[in-house]
Amino acid sequence: MKKIRFGILGCGYIATKMAEAVKYLENNGHNIEAYAVASRDAKKAAAFAEEYGFAKSYGSYEELANDASVDLVYVATPHSHHFENAKLCIEKGRNVLVEKAFAANTKQASAIVALAEEKGVLLVEAMWTRFLPAVSLIKNIIAEGTIGDVLRVEGDFSIPLTHVERLCNPALAGGALLDLGIYPLTFADLFLDGEIAMVESTCVKYETGVDATDYISISYKNGQHAELKTSFVSYEKNEGTIFGTKGSIKVMNLNDFAEVLVYDAACNLKQSIKPERMVNCYEYEVLACIKALENPAEFKRVVGNRTIWECPEITHEKTLDMMAQMDSLRENWGVCYPFEIPASVTWNRSNDKSILQTYDVENGNVTVLKEFDCVIEAPNWSSDGSYLTYNSNGRIYKYELSTGEISEVPSYYVDNCNNDHVLDPDGSGLYVSHHTKEDGLSRIYKIFFDGRMPQLVTPLAPSYLHGITPDGKTLAYCAERGGEYDIYTIPAIGGNETRL
């Protein structure tokens, strides 16, 4: 079998760790070849290639993306640049492994995912913790009942890193959350399986405005709980604990699970395990990608006109879910990067009021359903006439006509919806125009009543939704392309748009 040719985009510190792992795999009989590296500095790329044994070096990212011999590109640049770098590679048909944090925000992440599924390439977030053999080891200990029923998780990943300019710089999506906080959030997500009921959090900001120390408390509907902390200014601490009814499991190093300690209910140490590792634990995400590339039929699935090619350790949905969780935390703290547009700017209608009412076209009677101390817009009837949906402050709400009960339609990061929305005739959800944080432009998404993650329909912007065909298969919208506004249609599941 032809060896998978591995390329690294970016030659910083994290790239050196990946290079060590890939070279070890190559030298020990695995189906991988240390093929090419790229930097914006040709001399730096050449020196990197020579030191780590890569066959080629390029002085630009474009050259690496254009090399058709590259089978898999690892994006190792700062996460503020992941969007543009991953997009460059995917547009050229390259399979991509993107270092965490996957992107700066969910809008960027969803656009990368949408493009990869359109192109049919493998896209994986390099969240190495999820690929560690120790994850299965711990889950097996829990499944065996060793610590009883899991009640809560505590996690703290803090390292004094104020000397690292990138972490202090909001223009580079700096702060503790994206760089360090993703680890305790992932730790909780791995070992607590309930649906989140409530998140309470606070942060202490650095002098540049980024989050420096974050405290996150997550309550789950099944009674489980997580207490998490991260910081790039406080003393160093890197550990997590899973508490059960019969004992606990402490993990030293939340990022690479260096040691697993099992305690009984009296806090007596019963077992100490140092999980296996070949090199530095970066190798496991590479091995997962090799498996997916060698067995595409097993790891690919087609949904409509999209080809979803991912690794089960971290699916596209999970990547977007974690990204949306971090977006929500930052919004709560008032932490916004310079290249984003905050929701408070897009929606500022706090002094207005609205009245929701129905008008009977046969007898002219008007019925007031509810008065609001805010603006609501564009109420729409459900196909069975049992409820209305309307927009308010960027979110979509559902009004039950029989009870007057109001509930928010779960839309996660799709939180800047304007008044353009239409219901899917099948009752599964509705389509909305959402102003994304990255550029403030409108794109069309589908949001679902059952809580599924939103689905991007129109990656291009601006796109303003107008209607849906009776069969629910096609959307019509107004869009600006190349300086001209026209009417377009697109399959409701996404795909190529048609200018009318």
Side-chain angles (χ1 to χ4, degrees):
M1 182 178 291
K2 169 185 167 291
K3 281 197 171 185
I4 293 167
R5 292 182 168 180
F6 193 88
I8 298 180
L9 190 151
C11 294
Y13 171 76
I14 204 76
T16 66
K17 310 304 289 183
M18 179 59 78
E20 291 172 0
V22 170
K23 201 62 188 177
Y24 174 90
L25 294 176
E26 180 184 26
N27 291 336
N28 286 272
H30 293 275
N31 187 32
I32 194 81
E33 176 186 345
Y35 176 69
V37 298
S39 170
R40 288 174 293 186
D41 182 334
K43 290 183 179 179
K44 184 177 181 179
F48 188 102
E50 182 177 358
E51 180 176 358
Y52 293 99
F54 280 69
K56 290 188 175 184
S57 67
Y58 293 114
S60 74
Y61 299 155
E62 290 78 9
E63 289 177 278
L64 178 63
N66 285 326
D67 187 341
S69 297
V70 177
D71 298 304
L72 179 64
V73 176
Y74 170 60
V75 175
T77 52
H79 43 243
S80 55
H81 291 66
H82 287 177
F83 171 70
E84 60 187 79
N85 298 153
K87 183 171 179 285
L88 169 68
C89 295
I90 294 169
E91 285 177 337
K92 300 296 183 179
R94 305 284 83 81
N95 302 300
V96 181
L97 176 64
V98 183
E99 183 53 48
K100 66 85 197 161
F102 187 76
N105 54 44
T106 313
K107 185 269 160 183
Q108 290 185 348
S110 63
I112 296 171
V113 168
L115 182 61
E117 294 180 356
E118 176 189 333
K119 297 291 185 181
V121 302
L122 176 67
L123 175 66
V124 181
E125 181 179 4
M127 184 55 194
W128 64 329
T129 307
R130 292 186 181 272
F131 297 88
L132 298 176
V135 172
S136 296
L137 182 152
I138 294 171
K139 287 187 174 182
N140 287 338
I141 293 173
I142 293 172
E144 290 167 357
T146 304
I147 65 168
D149 296 329
V150 174
L151 300 175
R152 63 189 174 94
V153 155
E154 292 180 1
D156 187 343
F157 190 20
S158 301
I159 308 175
L161 293 172
T162 53
H163 60 282
V164 179
E165 194 274 338
R166 175 178 59 82
L167 279 167
C168 305
N169 190 345
L172 296 177
L177 183 64
L178 266 63
D179 223 276
L180 305 176
I182 183 61
Y183 288 110
L185 285 171
T186 295
F187 189 74
D189 184 72
L190 283 169
F191 302 114
L192 299 179
D193 53 9
E195 183 181 349
I196 293 177
M198 181 174 63
V199 178
E200 297 176 293
S201 68
T202 186
C203 88
V204 178
K205 294 182 182 178
Y206 194 61
E207 59 190 28
T208 59
V210 301
D211 60 298
T213 301
D214 309 332
Y215 301 92
I216 305 166
S217 177
I218 306 175
S219 299
Y220 296 78
K221 291 184 177 179
N222 62 4
Q224 293 177 330
H225 192 78
E227 287 292 336
L228 312 174
K229 175 187 170 252
T230 188
S231 176
F232 76 86
V233 299
S234 70
Y235 61 88
E236 187 163 342
K237 188 173 183 181
N238 185 5
E239 63 182 48
T241 306
I242 306 161
F243 294 92
T245 54
K246 297 180 180 179
S248 62
I249 301 171
K250 176 175 282 189
V251 177
M252 308 308 296
N253 290 15
L254 276 178
N255 51 350
D256 65 357
F257 289 23
E259 186 176 9
V260 177
L261 305 170
V262 183
Y263 296 86
D264 63 17
C267 297
N268 298 308
L269 179 63
K270 307 301 291 184
Q271 193 176 11
S272 174
I273 308 166
K274 290 195 174 179
E276 66 174 274
R277 62 178 64 203
M278 298 179 183
V279 195
N280 54 19
C281 292
Y282 286 78
E283 60 272 16
Y284 296 112
E285 60 199 52
V286 178
L287 289 171
C289 289
I290 291 173
K291 190 175 180 181
L293 289 168
E294 289 178 341
N295 305 280
E298 182 181 345
F299 292 88
K300 278 185 181 181
R301 69 184 192 277
V302 178
V303 179
N305 64 341
R306 297 179 298 139
T307 299
I308 302 173
W309 197 1
E310 59 192 1
C311 287
E313 290 85 353
I314 182 162
T315 64
H316 296 171
E317 182 179 3
K318 179 57 69 177
T319 288
L320 293 175
D321 181 39
M322 298 305 292
M323 203 78 243
Q325 195 173 13
M326 292 190 290
D327 275 4
S328 179
L329 289 167
R330 285 197 298 115
E331 184 173 347
N332 181 54
W333 303 333
V335 173
C336 185
Y337 305 130
F339 49 82
E340 297 178 315
I341 298 177
S344 59
V345 174
T346 306
W347 290 97
N348 184 16
R349 302 179 175 185
S350 57
N351 295 323
D352 294 311
K353 296 185 178 182
S354 290
I355 300 172
L356 178 63
Q357 58 189 33
T358 59
Y359 177 82
D360 190 317
V361 296
E362 292 186 348
N363 58 33
N365 291 336
V366 174
T367 302
V368 175
L369 302 178
K370 185 174 178 60
E371 296 188 15
F372 296 83
D373 290 327
C374 61
V375 164
I376 73 161
E377 296 178 307
N380 279 330
W381 286 101
S382 64
S383 58
D384 62 3
S386 65
Y387 61 86
L388 300 170
T389 58
Y390 62 86
N391 170 74
S392 183
N393 292 316
R395 295 285 190 179
I396 304 296
Y397 295 85
K398 191 176 182 182
Y399 181 97
E400 298 289 348
L401 287 157
S402 61
T403 63
E405 181 182 354
I406 295 174
S407 59
E408 183 180 323
V409 180
S411 60
Y412 305 93
Y413 55 90
V414 177
D415 57 1
N416 282 332
C417 305
N418 62 26
N419 61 354
D420 303 327
H421 71 271
V422 296
L423 286 110
D424 192 321
D426 67 7
S428 62
L430 59 155
Y431 296 89
V432 299
S433 294
H434 160 62
H435 294 276
T436 57
K437 292 181 179 179
E438 183 188 55
D439 52 18
L441 299 179
S442 174
R443 290 171 174 83
I444 298 172
Y445 287 77
K446 183 176 183 180
I447 61 176
F448 297 88
F449 291 129
D450 63 9
R452 279 176 281 170
M453 293 298 291
Q455 177 182 317
L456 177 66
V457 180
T458 60
L460 299 179
S463 299
Y464 301 100
L465 178 63
H466 278 299
I468 189 169
T469 51
D471 61 7
K473 293 183 178 180
T474 305
L475 302 178
Y477 54 101
C478 179
E480 183 267 320
R481 305 288 184 259
E484 181 180 348
Y485 278 91
D486 289 297
I487 304 298
Y488 290 80
T489 59
I490 195 170
I493 60 172
N496 295 325
E497 62 183 15
T498 302
R499 176 176 173 270
L500 303 186

